[in-house]
Amino acid sequence: MQGRRESGASRRRPLVAGTLTILVLGVTLGLVSTSSGGTSTAKAKPAVVISTGKGFGEVYAAKASTLKKTLFKATLLPANKMSRNIALAGLGRADKKVNYNLALQCWKNNGCSTGTGGKLTVAYIEQFGENVYRQMSKMEFILQALTYPQVGRIIYKSAHSDLNQGIADFKAAIAQKVDLIVSYPDFGDAMLPVMKEATDAGIPVATYAWGFVTGPGKNYLTVVGEDTCKLGQAYAKVMNTQVKSGDIAFLGGFPGNPLSLGWQNCEKPALNSNLDVVATEPTNWDPSKVQSVVAGILAAHPDVKGWSYEYGLGMAQGALAAYKAAGKPFDTVLTLRTDDVGMGCTFNKENNPNLKMWYYTSGNSQIRVAFTAAMMKLKGAKIPPKIVFPIELQNQRVRDSCVKGYPQEASATSLIPLSLLHRMYP
């Protein structure tokens, strides 16, 4: 593993106006600020790049603006040195030019030949891909793959919520001798045998969105994302200070999925004794099911004061409808993982002082980091079993997630170009 290389010249380079904060970032993280910006006019400000060196076919560098867009702040990088290198390499590739027409075709067709003649075949294998979040992750995967000329073929499979099909898709990828697999293991440890089978066959398997199953680093390559236990603790802090006492409820995705279990198992013990979790229900991340589940919980517990969940747009489309059907004002506290634009815009439209909302980044771009980790493994890098991003929840009243110009289904922290998002969701 190659360490940081910081030249005396780069340390002495004069700062451009407005980069003092980035200088502090460089000192804090031991990073380098370099100038590689535009030259179209004499007064053009150079882009600030956060860099820690290079190795294993990658340059560990990303624009500070790219990091801020997808992480809220350029400082919110993994603490572990190699994890930070991988994150910078993976997220930095988002600024590489690729063929967006090909990317869109590949996205619509669930795979494609890249036309580069590259020898590598890469696969995104998941058990459920039928919501916007997953479709955006699919596009991030495709865009990342297209930054590597050595990738000649891209495969995508969704098992449509069928465990047996999910297992079969993994086995088919192994039989095709793909070179790497990225996945979100919706069924948790039930996917472990095929993930281990791929690993034993020399195929690195990386998960994102904290798709944690047993034995990262041994049974599969690595898990990328935020520590969902800490996410649950961050949720609890909001509930403890904003709700303080009374009934709250937890919603989740598929039963047993690692993302929901991760925060639920850690939020509950971190709540103060005056808060009572009256329901913990799966929704399969389906807005229509969110509506029916929330309606059922409200019928049994009409005084629920707060909801913790992952899927912001699902909450906007499902929970609000359930409240309106019950004739109840949407007076509640929400802690959510995703920053879907539609949830933020719904919050603003409601204009309700009794509605409060905190959210995290959707983390679609985490799949890029997982992809790059697997590519670096093919080059012989030692990959950390966990690549962990820090958590900083955002208050909707302070940081508006209703970002102008973005489709309601999208997340503005995604690194998919806005023009391409509009073609995906016209």
Side-chain angles (χ1 to χ4, degrees):
M1 180 176 68
Q2 297 193 17
R4 185 185 75 239
R5 295 176 180 174
E6 183 175 3
S7 70
S10 65
R11 288 194 298 269
R12 292 191 299 269
R13 180 175 293 130
L15 290 172
V16 296
T19 59
L20 181 58
T21 301
I22 301 302
L23 172 63
V24 174
L25 170 65
V27 172
T28 303
L29 296 180
L31 305 180
V32 182
S33 293
T34 62
S35 297
S36 60
T39 58
S40 57
T41 68
K43 295 182 179 180
K45 292 183 179 179
V48 177
V49 176
I50 311 305
S51 174
T52 57
K54 59 184 178 180
F56 305 103
E58 301 290 341
V59 177
Y60 310 145
K63 290 181 181 178
S65 57
T66 300
L67 298 175
K68 182 178 180 181
K69 173 178 170 55
T70 198
L71 302 175
F72 300 136
K73 294 179 181 178
T75 53
L76 295 177
L77 288 162
N80 173 271
K81 182 179 178 181
M82 189 57 171
S83 295
R84 186 166 66 247
N85 291 344
I86 297 166
L88 287 169
L91 298 176
R93 282 182 169 271
D95 291 311
K96 287 182 174 291
K97 298 297 184 183
V98 300
N99 184 333
Y100 294 148
N101 291 329
L102 175 59
L104 186 64
Q105 179 187 5
C106 200
W107 180 76
K108 290 179 176 179
N109 294 338
N110 293 328
C112 61
S113 169
T114 67
T116 65
K119 302 300 183 183
L120 300 182
T121 297
V122 299
Y124 177 23
I125 308 294
E126 60 180 347
Q127 291 80 70
F128 164 73
E130 286 65 60
N131 68 15
V132 174
Y133 176 85
R134 295 300 181 86
Q135 288 297 302
M136 288 182 64
S137 293
K138 179 173 76 171
M139 179 57 87
E140 296 248 21
F141 177 91
I142 290 167
L143 290 172
Q144 193 76 350
L146 292 178
T147 68
Y148 291 91
Q150 57 268 51
V151 172
R153 186 181 176 208
I154 299 169
I155 294 173
Y156 171 80
K157 292 291 184 180
S158 170
H160 304 283
S161 310
D162 184 328
L163 171 61
N164 291 329
Q165 184 60 52
I167 291 172
D169 288 342
F170 244 87
K171 287 183 173 292
I174 295 167
Q176 293 176 67
K177 298 182 179 180
V178 301
D179 293 282
L180 67 82
I181 296 173
V182 177
S183 183
Y184 181 81
D186 289 282
F187 296 106
D189 273 9
M191 296 303 297
L192 191 55
V194 285
M195 292 172 71
K196 190 174 185 304
E197 183 180 340
T199 301
D200 291 343
I203 302 169
V205 178
T207 71
Y208 78 108
W210 205 249
F212 187 95
V213 297
T214 301
K218 180 181 178 182
N219 294 327
Y220 60 105
L221 178 64
T222 190
V223 54
V224 176
E226 76 282 7
D227 184 329
T228 53
C229 183
K230 291 182 179 179
L231 181 65
Q233 292 166 351
Y235 282 1
K237 185 176 181 180
V238 171
M239 293 297 176
N240 289 341
T241 57
Q242 299 298 319
V243 179
K244 299 180 181 177
S245 64
D247 295 345
I248 65 173
F250 293 170
L251 303 179
F254 283 89
N257 86 84
L259 176 59
S260 301
L261 286 178
W263 66 259
Q264 289 171 358
N265 289 342
C266 291
E267 179 176 359
K268 192 168 185 178
L271 294 168
N272 70 47
S273 58
N274 294 322
L275 288 167
D276 185 17
V277 180
V278 295
T280 302
E281 295 292 335
T283 67
N284 295 5
W285 295 305
D286 179 341
S288 63
K289 189 166 184 179
V290 172
Q291 182 175 348
S292 62
V293 167
V294 170
I297 294 172
L298 287 176
H301 305 279
D303 297 322
V304 171
K305 296 180 179 179
W307 302 83
S308 291
Y309 188 32
E310 301 95 16
Y311 189 24
L313 185 64
M315 203 71 186
Q317 295 175 337
L320 179 59
Y323 268 80
K324 289 186 181 300
K328 296 175 65 67
F330 201 32
D331 296 348
T332 191
V333 175
L334 304 175
T335 51
L336 305 167
R337 179 182 184 266
T338 61
D339 62 324
D340 316 279
V341 167
M343 182 65 239
C345 295
T346 296
F347 180 98
N348 295 346
K349 185 178 180 181
E350 287 295 297
N351 193 26
N352 178 357
N354 297 317
L355 175 61
K356 301 176 182 180
M357 179 179 120
W358 277 257
Y359 62 90
Y360 184 57
T361 170
S362 291
N364 294 108
S365 63
Q366 292 172 0
I367 200 169
R368 292 178 179 264
V369 179
F371 187 105
T372 291
M375 289 293 289
M376 290 174 65
K377 175 64 175 178
L378 295 177
K379 291 279 191 177
K382 185 175 182 181
I383 305 299
K386 301 175 185 177
I387 299 174
V388 185
F389 287 87
I391 293 167
E392 190 172 286
L393 295 185
Q394 305 296 306
N395 182 344
Q396 169 64 18
R397 297 195 187 279
V398 176
R399 186 188 186 280
D400 188 1
S401 60
C402 181
V403 181
K404 185 178 180 180
Y406 273 77
Q408 294 290 291
E409 303 91 344
S411 157
T413 54
S414 164
L415 293 178
I416 302 170
L418 184 55
S419 60
L420 185 55
L421 268 174
H422 282 296
R423 295 175 68 186
M424 293 165 63
Y425 299 104

